[in-house]
Amino acid sequence: MMTRMPEPRFLTLADVAEILATSVAQVRALVQRGDLRGIQIGGRGQWRVETVELEAYIQRMYDEQDRAGRAEPERTPQDH
C-alpha cells in the first residue's frame, strides 16, 4: 500500500501561477496589491501563499463574478 504525501501547506508563486494558469508576474502583482494574501520568508524575501489563502481567493473571485452577473464569453465571427 502506497502512502500519499500530504498536500503542501505553502506554495511558491510559481506553484500558484501554474494552478491559476497565469504568469508568476501576475501572481506577484496579486500578492503585492493584497488581492491574494501571501507571506515573505527568509532573508531573500521569497513569497509563499498558503493553500487555504489560494482557495479563499478563488472563491472570492467566483463570488464577485456571481454578484456582477456572469458576462457571456466573447463571440467569434464564426458564432454569428
Side-chain angles (χ1 to χ4, degrees), residues 39-55:
I39 59 172
Q40 280 189 298
I41 61 167
R44 296 188 336 211
Q46 296 179 357
W47 286 99
R48 295 293 184 270
V49 175
E50 198 168 4
T51 54
V52 295
E53 293 296 339
L54 176 57
E55 292 302 322

Side-chain angles (χ1 to χ4, degrees), residues 7-61:
E7 293 292 321
R9 180 175 176 182
F10 291 97
L11 303 168
T12 65
L13 297 188
D15 294 335
V16 174
E18 184 176 333
I19 291 166
L20 295 177
T22 191
S23 68
V24 173
Q26 180 64 39
V27 173
R28 182 175 288 109
L30 291 171
V31 170
Q32 290 175 338
R33 279 196 315 259
D35 294 339
L36 174 60
R37 289 183 64 194
I39 59 172
Q40 280 189 298
I41 61 167
R44 296 188 336 211
Q46 296 179 357
W47 286 99
R48 295 293 184 270
V49 175
E50 198 168 4
T51 54
V52 295
E53 293 296 339
L54 176 57
E55 292 302 322
Y57 169 77
I58 292 168
Q59 188 59 54
R60 280 194 314 276
M61 294 301 99

